[in-house]
């Protein structure tokens, strides 16, 4: 795992992160079963149908995408595709596929598998693909090693390339064709081309994977297998790490407060890399159907009332950064710091609220709102507590309404029964894949993690549509910089902080965090000390 | 259970069993209607829970709602469910995409082992210590045990569980921390039984200790009351040994409320074990019920409620039969005046 001086420096200054530099000098050891903590068991584990980090965490070791993200240039590592190229008109995208790859049942992987997955799974059923591949018309397979995606309207090659890691997992056509894909048993009993084969899932207990001896990248993987132990209690995960019953817990599965203690123990390392490609934001979602909140001055006042540094230091214990717009800094291709910002300034917030015709009443309250913090993360719930206090300081009374995931989804994204909500959208390597949906107008109710805020701006919609069709990468990047400036100016939602996760692992585990999506990549390079 | 000379099928015990069998369908229907209405009242449905965790667009939401029958009215869904139930079909779990019966059958033995072990442990320890405390009320041992019971009773089970785990699994490393068996060990027969038993020591102790405190306090209170009774004074006057007095007269009479609690406790064990099952990653019915609620998986939740209700009915029947065994004054099969 190459560690740059910048990374080592960052690790050294981080509150409790242990750099994994000693790995550099060591030869990987072959063997051993890595025991990993898991806290969920997704109903559908097939990443060709469900592009979600909870699914990838287990499934990415068994079922591979066409390419994976990598640190540095060009930003990708080939997996099932060796190379790719878009046509000048943007209507086709040619993939050159790897030779000699076999599925775990012994059948060869060919372009027919890619064609089937693209047209029948990604486009028709996948949560992200249903929107992303809407213009995909056909997939030509002139030979077993070539697949040509054909689109009805121009698609930027850059956008398709950026989608390869998350949206293009390939499962065998021969096991899915002619079946109802959503009810196929191989959505649980996975068959893929990855470094590990699926052995069994005992619900409520564990998933067990074993080494694929016929992996195309032999002699990898280094591990004999991976066991995901289902541990629903976060305190128990910390104890399991201490007891040596679990080697690794990803996605900040251990409470941050426990992490500080664990980092001081011998034999345990806390690693803060390997998630940059799936950076999350904490946002304040605003219901523009509410008269007061439809006024941009009020939204700006709310932004001024929030102290992102407090959120970083007290809620994330230093493991986050104040957000500058909806695109995280890691994606330097699209992110711009050149956009309006709203520094913490309660006095300015109060002045803006006065200006908006919302003076403090006799009880000191300007107006009241219902605030729904998303239940997904400990930090989104804590952000709800903080925001209530921050708003009170400027005269806005917030009533906290806490719901479970189904209740939150219905209230915010279907019924629009909220005034403010705390959200946590994830960035997926391109604004068109994950981010513009937060700003696009006219979406039907019920779509999670999208603009259900009642905000619509024709200028923004036009910008989003243009950027999604612009073929030239430089021009496209410029359009997204304009998108960020408009988003910051109008502030339909308020990005507060950007954060990634931490991995806690035994120091016996090596080859951790070697790409920006490590936790959801294939772990072929991960190994355990003898 | 029946007095000598009377057959079971004509005796009072059979009357009790027969009455409970008649009551059971009504109890089950009440539980099913209540469970269904409660789940319907909760905001969001199974599709909301699905897209909240795995994402989706409007088309997928519509498709799933149709596929899972959630586009029908609640009344239609409930009637269809009852029709299926009449043929012995508990339906298909939405969250697990498997038949409900198969999902429950997988978890039930674990819950029975955990609840059965915890109840036995709690009852034995609680009544035993309760007898020791109640043998000499306000004595030093009574004060010590009563204080310990109070502390234990006030201790949240998740905290107690984590403390035991830290001591016995993390520091001493005597016991496994989580799960119910060693993954991939391939044990069979007695070796597997021993492996499972080792894994259950901590969850059974955690769950059992909290209830043991309750039994201790009940037993002790019952004995304090019994000491004041005329029959105890009479027995003392007859000069029987203290040991015999405590065990045969005082403790035996104090046992009835403890047995009542045993029946009530069995009703709460499935729900009460959610926390302990989560802390020790035990794949039991409690955790399954919590998942069913979170996922709004109404066929699964109703299936769990049916199984739990049947278990409660069975345990309460056994408790009633046990009453008559402990106290001959209790008349089986008698109706309330």
């Amino acid at each position: 795992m190459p560690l740059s001086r910048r990374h080592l420096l960052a690790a050294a200054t981080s509150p409790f992160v242990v750099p994994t530099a000693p790995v550099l000098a060591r030869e990987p050891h072959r063997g051993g079963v890595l025991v990993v903590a898991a806290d969920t068991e997704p109903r559908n584990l097939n990443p060709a149908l469900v592009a979600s980090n909870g699914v990838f965490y287990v499934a990415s070791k068994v079922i591979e995408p066409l390419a994976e993200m990598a640190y540095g240039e060009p930003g990708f590592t080939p997996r099932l595709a060796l190379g790719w190229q878009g046509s000048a008109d943007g209507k086709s995208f040619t993939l050159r596929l790897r030779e000699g790859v076999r599925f775990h049942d012994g059948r060869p992987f060919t372009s027919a598998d890619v064609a089937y997955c693209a047209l029948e799974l990604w486009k028709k059923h996948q949560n992200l693909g249903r929107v992303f591949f809407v213009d995909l018309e056909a997939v030509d397979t002139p030979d077993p090693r070539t697949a040509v995606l054909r689109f009805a309207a121009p698609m930027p090659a850059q956008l398709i390339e950026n989608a390869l890691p998350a949206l293009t997992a390939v499962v065998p056509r021969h096991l899915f064709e002619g079946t109802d894909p959503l009810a196929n048993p191989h959505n649980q009993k996975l068959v893929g081309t990855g470094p590990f084969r699926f052995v069994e899932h005992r619900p409520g207990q564990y998933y067990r994977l074993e080494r694929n001896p016929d992996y195309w990248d032999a002699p990898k993987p280094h591990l004999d297998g991976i066991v995901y132990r289902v541990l629903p209690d976060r305190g128990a995960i910390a104890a399991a790490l201490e007891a040596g019953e679990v080697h690794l817990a990803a996605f900040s599965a251990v409470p941050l407060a426990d992490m500080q203690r664990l980092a001081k123990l011998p034999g345990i390392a806390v690693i803060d890399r390997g998630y940059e490609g799936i950076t999350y934001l904490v946002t304040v979602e605003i219901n523009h159907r509410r008269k007061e909140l439809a006024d941009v001055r009020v939204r700006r006042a709310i932004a001024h009332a929030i102290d992102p540094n407090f959120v970083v230091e007290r809620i994330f214990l230093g493991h986050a950064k104040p957000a500058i717009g909806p695109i995280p800094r890691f994606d330097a291709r699209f992110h711009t710091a050149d956009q309006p910002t709203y520094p913490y300034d309660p006095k300015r917030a109060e002045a803006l609220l006065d200006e908006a015709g919302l003076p403090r009443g006799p009880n000191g309250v300007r107006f009241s709102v219902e605030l729904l913090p998303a239940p997904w993360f400990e930090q989104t719930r804590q952000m709800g507590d903080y925001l209530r206090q921050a708003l009170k300081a400027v005269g806005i009374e917030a009533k906290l309404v806490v719901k479970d995931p189904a209740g939150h989804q219905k209230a915010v994204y279907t019924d629009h029964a909220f005034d403010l909500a705390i959200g946590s959208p994830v960035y997926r390597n391109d604004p068109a894949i994950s981010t513009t949906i937060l700003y696009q107008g006219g979406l039907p109710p019920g779509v999670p993690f999208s603009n259900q805020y009642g905000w619509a701006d024709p200028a923004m919609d036009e910008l989003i549509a243009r950027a999604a069709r612009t073929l030239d990468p430089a021009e496209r990047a410029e359009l997204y910089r304009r998108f960020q400036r408009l988003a910051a100016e109008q502030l339909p939602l308020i990005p507060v902080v950007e954060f990634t996760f931490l991995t806690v692992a035994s120091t016996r585990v090596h080859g951790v965090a070697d790409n920006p999506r490590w936790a959801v990549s294939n772990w072929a390079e991960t190994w355990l000390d003898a | 259970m029946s007095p000598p000379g009377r057959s079971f099928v004509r005796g009072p015990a059979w009357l009790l069993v027969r009455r409970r069998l008649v009551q059971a369908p009504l109890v089950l229907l009440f539980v099913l209607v209540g469970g269904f209405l409660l789940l319907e009242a909760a905001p969001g449905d199974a599709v909301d829970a699905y897209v909240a965790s795995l994402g989706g667009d409007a088309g997928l939401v519509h498709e799933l709602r149709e596929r899972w029958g959630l586009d029908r009215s609640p009344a239609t869904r409930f009637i269809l469910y009852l029709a299926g139930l009449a043929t012995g079909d508990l339906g298909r779990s939405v969250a697990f995409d498997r038949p409900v019966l198969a999902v429950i059958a997988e978890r039930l033995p674990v819950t029975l082992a955990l609840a059965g072990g915890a109840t036995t442990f709690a009852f034995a320890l609680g009544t035993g210590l309760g007898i020791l405390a109640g043998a000499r009320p306000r004595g030093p041992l009574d004060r010590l045990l009563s204080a310990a019971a109070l502390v234990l009773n006030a201790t949240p089970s998740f905290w107690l569980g984590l403390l035991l785990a830290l001591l016995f699994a993390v520091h001493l490393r005597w016991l496994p921390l989580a799960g119910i068996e060693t993954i991939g060990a391939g044990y069979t027969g007695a070796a597997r039984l021993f492996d499972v038993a080792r894994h259950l020591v901590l969850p059974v102790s955690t769950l059992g200790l909290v209830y043991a405190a309750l039994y201790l306090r009940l037993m002790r209170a019952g004995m304090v009351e019994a000491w004041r009774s005329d029959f105890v004074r009479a027995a003392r006057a007859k000069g029987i040994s203290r040991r015999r007095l405590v065990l045969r007269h005082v403790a035996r009479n104090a046992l009835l409320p403890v047995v009542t609690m045993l029946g009530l406790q069995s009703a709460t064990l499935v729900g009460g074990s959610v926390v302990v099952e989560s802390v020790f990653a035990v794949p039991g019915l409690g955790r399954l019920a919590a998942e069913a609620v979170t996922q709004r998986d109404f066929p699964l939740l109703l299936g769990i409620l049916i199984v739990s209700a049947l278990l409660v009915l069975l345990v309460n029947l056994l408790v009633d039969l046990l009453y008559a065994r402990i106290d001959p004054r209790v008349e089986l099969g008698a109706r309330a005046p």
Side-chain angles (χ1 to χ4, degrees):
Chain A
M1 185 188 77
L3 283 175
S4 69
R5 193 172 52 179
R6 183 166 58 89
H7 293 131
L8 287 171
L9 191 65
T13 53
S14 183
F16 46 80
V17 171
V18 178
T20 49
V23 181
L24 291 170
R26 307 272 302 274
E27 274 298 305
H29 168 259
R30 163 77 195 280
V33 174
L34 183 72
V35 183
V36 182
D39 59 0
T40 56
E41 297 164 279
R43 177 191 195 274
N44 187 328
L45 205 57
N46 181 351
L49 295 173
V50 186
S52 152
N53 290 334
V55 169
F56 293 147
Y57 187 38
V58 177
S60 58
K61 286 68 187 167
V62 181
I63 295 172
E64 294 180 299
L66 296 171
E68 186 50 271
M69 282 182 78
Y71 286 120
E73 292 298 327
F76 294 95
T77 307
R79 288 281 195 254
L80 293 177
L82 287 169
W84 47 85
Q85 187 158 25
S87 64
D89 66 356
K91 288 194 167 184
S92 71
F93 188 83
T94 303
L95 292 151
R96 191 161 50 84
L97 305 175
R98 192 178 289 279
E99 283 191 58
V101 178
R102 289 189 174 274
F103 286 106
H104 298 151
D105 63 359
R107 301 275 287 267
F109 156 76
T110 70
S111 54
D113 297 298
V114 174
Y116 173 78
C117 289
L119 291 169
E120 299 300 322
L121 304 184
W122 307 340
K123 178 180 173 169
K124 287 188 182 169
H125 298 290
Q126 193 194 76
N127 54 335
L128 298 180
R130 289 168 67 108
V131 175
F132 187 87
F133 289 110
V134 71
D135 288 329
L136 181 68
E137 276 189 329
V139 180
D140 299 341
T141 52
D143 63 66
R145 304 272 67 87
T146 308
V148 184
L149 311 185
R150 300 208 175 277
F151 295 91
M155 278 281 276
Q158 182 193 40
L159 172 56
I160 302 172
E161 182 180 70
N162 289 341
L164 294 178
L167 274 72
T168 64
V170 182
V171 293
R173 180 182 74 157
H174 61 271
L175 294 180
F176 279 81
E177 197 168 38
T179 71
D180 172 1
L182 295 182
N184 191 297
H186 295 289
N187 291 334
Q188 280 296 335
K189 292 174 184 151
L190 305 179
V191 176
T193 57
F196 296 94
R197 293 197 294 212
F198 186 87
V199 179
E200 63 174 334
H201 172 213
R202 288 278 184 92
Q205 296 188 62
Y206 60 86
Y207 294 93
R208 192 152 69 89
L209 315 180
E210 67 178 15
R211 184 173 189 276
N212 171 14
D214 302 319
Y215 188 47
W216 55 262
D217 198 12
K220 292 172 195 160
H222 304 303
L223 296 166
D224 284 341
I226 304 172
V227 166
Y228 289 85
R229 289 190 68 167
V230 180
L231 298 169
D233 185 84
R234 288 154 59 82
I237 293 176
L241 279 158
E242 270 193 90
E245 288 194 19
V246 160
H247 295 121
L248 184 143
F251 283 106
S252 300
V254 173
L256 286 179
D258 268 350
M259 216 135 1
Q260 284 180 306
R261 181 177 59 80
L262 287 173
K264 291 175 189 154
L265 296 177
I268 291 184
V270 178
I271 301 144
D272 68 348
R273 276 171 40 99
Y275 297 95
E276 298 85 344
I278 44 173
T279 298
Y280 282 71
L281 293 172
V282 170
T283 57
V284 178
E285 299 174 312
I286 298 166
N287 193 343
H288 296 252
R289 298 167 190 89
R290 175 80 187 256
K291 193 176 63 138
E292 296 91 335
L293 301 173
D295 187 330
V296 70
R297 291 170 297 187
V298 175
R299 303 198 293 271
R300 289 173 184 162
I302 292 173
H304 279 300
I306 299 169
D307 182 359
N309 290 316
F310 180 93
V311 178
V312 168
E313 294 307 321
R314 300 298 169 87
I315 295 179
F316 285 90
L317 304 182
H319 292 280
K321 290 174 190 157
I324 303 174
I327 298 176
R329 295 169 178 80
F330 176 76
D331 198 343
R333 298 167 302 174
F334 299 115
H335 174 78
T336 177
D338 178 22
Q339 53 179 299
T341 55
Y342 303 91
Y344 174 57
D345 186 349
K347 281 187 182 158
R348 177 81 187 118
E350 298 232 35
L352 279 166
L353 290 168
D354 288 338
E355 197 183 302
L358 296 166
R360 282 182 183 265
N363 56 357
V365 176
R366 297 172 189 274
F367 64 98
S368 301
V369 291
E370 282 205 346
L371 168 61
L372 277 70
W376 329 128
F377 299 109
E378 184 186 356
Q379 289 80 16
T380 50
R381 292 189 293 267
Q382 290 170 343
M383 177 68 199
D385 294 333
Y386 165 70
L387 183 60
R388 190 173 68 86
Q389 294 170 49
L391 291 176
K392 193 173 184 181
V394 296
I396 302 172
E397 187 79 36
K399 181 185 162 203
L400 270 181
V401 181
V402 180
K403 293 179 183 286
D404 72 351
H408 187 84
Q409 156 66 23
K410 187 168 191 303
V412 176
Y413 300 108
T414 304
D415 295 345
H416 310 138
F418 73 106
D419 296 318
L420 298 175
I422 306 298
S424 56
V426 58
Y427 181 72
R428 291 183 192 275
N429 209 24
D430 194 293
I433 299 173
S434 55
T435 308
T436 52
I437 196 171
L438 302 170
Y439 295 87
Q440 187 182 329
L443 295 171
V447 183
F449 322 124
S450 70
N451 175 6
Q452 295 295 332
Y453 320 127
W455 183 77
D457 180 347
M460 177 61 95
D461 289 346
E462 201 267 327
L463 202 50
I464 289 171
R466 256 184 78 196
R469 295 277 172 246
T470 299
L471 303 183
D472 178 54
E475 196 185 330
R476 203 168 163 257
E478 179 49 36
L479 286 171
Y480 282 120
R481 285 192 273 275
R482 281 175 55 196
F483 157 80
Q484 289 167 83
R485 281 192 283 271
L486 183 59
E489 192 185 293
Q490 290 299 314
L491 220 56
L493 75 158
I494 304 169
V496 181
V497 297
E498 57 176 67
F499 70 99
T500 54
F501 298 99
L502 299 171
T503 297
V504 190
S506 158
T507 48
R508 288 183 59 211
V509 187
H510 304 281
V512 175
D514 58 5
N515 73 63
R517 281 180 11 114
W518 180 79
V520 294
S521 66
N522 71 13
W523 294 8
E525 314 239 7
T526 303
W527 56 279
L528 271 171
D529 272 337
Chain B
M1 226 49 80
S2 306
R6 294 182 69 179
S7 74
F8 178 75
V9 289
R10 285 166 174 269
W14 169 243
L15 281 177
L16 180 73
V17 172
R18 210 172 59 179
R19 194 185 304 153
R20 289 295 163 82
L21 282 175
V22 172
Q23 288 168 347
L26 288 174
V27 172
L28 284 180
L29 188 65
F30 181 76
V31 166
L32 283 177
V33 172
F36 184 80
L37 290 178
L38 278 176
L39 210 56
E40 277 300 312
D45 60 15
V47 175
D48 289 312
Y50 179 88
V51 296
S53 70
L54 298 177
D57 67 343
L60 184 70
V61 167
H62 179 73
E63 188 185 324
L64 288 179
R65 208 155 263 145
E66 212 172 62
R67 185 179 277 261
W68 295 343
L70 294 167
D71 52 342
R72 298 180 183 133
S73 73
T76 309
R77 278 187 285 127
F78 192 56
I79 290 167
L80 286 174
Y81 179 79
L82 289 181
L85 196 61
T87 64
D89 180 9
L90 286 178
R92 197 171 178 83
S93 160
V94 172
F96 290 85
D97 197 17
R98 293 170 61 206
V100 165
L101 201 60
V103 177
I104 291 178
E106 216 167 56
R107 309 282 183 115
L108 186 61
V110 178
T111 286
L112 290 180
L114 177 61
T119 304
T120 310
F121 173 65
F123 190 76
L125 186 71
T127 50
L129 294 177
I131 290 171
L132 285 179
R136 289 190 189 280
R138 294 185 189 81
L141 188 61
D142 175 31
R143 286 175 197 278
L144 182 73
L145 287 172
S146 294
L150 190 67
V151 171
L152 208 53
N153 210 212
T155 307
S157 56
F158 78 90
W159 192 70
L160 180 66
L162 283 174
L163 278 188
L164 292 177
L166 281 176
L167 180 62
F168 292 105
V170 177
H171 293 298
L172 299 173
R173 304 212 176 182
W174 289 352
L175 292 165
L177 176 83
I180 51 157
E181 58 185 324
T182 308
I183 300 167
Y187 293 132
T188 53
R192 178 155 191 251
L193 208 62
F194 179 71
D195 186 46
V196 171
R198 276 191 76 226
H199 280 82
L200 283 177
V201 169
L202 285 177
V204 162
S205 309
T206 305
L207 202 55
L209 277 172
V210 175
Y211 284 110
L214 196 66
Y215 289 132
L216 190 159
R217 286 160 64 85
L218 273 177
M219 191 71 200
R220 186 237 172 224
M223 286 179 70
V224 169
E225 190 65 32
W227 279 116
R228 299 193 199 111
S229 308
D230 291 340
F231 69 87
V232 172
R233 269 197 287 274
R236 265 180 166 165
K238 279 170 39 183
I240 64 171
S241 72
R242 186 170 180 88
R243 183 189 171 87
R244 192 177 161 83
L245 182 69
V246 167
L247 293 179
R248 292 294 299 270
H249 297 276
V250 180
R252 188 168 180 176
N253 276 281
L255 210 54
L256 272 186
V258 181
V259 172
T260 307
M261 181 50 68
L262 187 70
L264 293 173
Q265 181 220 322
S266 73
T268 61
L269 255 182
V270 169
S273 59
V274 176
V275 173
V276 171
E277 285 181 9
S278 294
V279 169
F280 294 104
V282 175
L285 275 189
R287 238 174 86 195
L288 193 65
E291 282 170 47
V293 172
T294 308
Q295 299 297 324
R296 304 290 192 270
D297 188 345
F298 96 87
L300 181 58
L301 188 69
L302 294 187
I304 294 169
L305 287 178
I306 290 173
V307 172
S308 309
L310 287 174
L311 282 176
V312 170
L313 287 172
L314 181 69
V315 172
N316 278 294
L317 178 66
L318 293 176
V319 166
D320 283 348
L321 294 173
L322 196 60
Y323 272 169
R325 186 83 182 172
I326 295 169
D327 188 345
R329 291 169 299 181
V330 175
E331 201 178 332
L332 281 179
R335 289 178 186 280

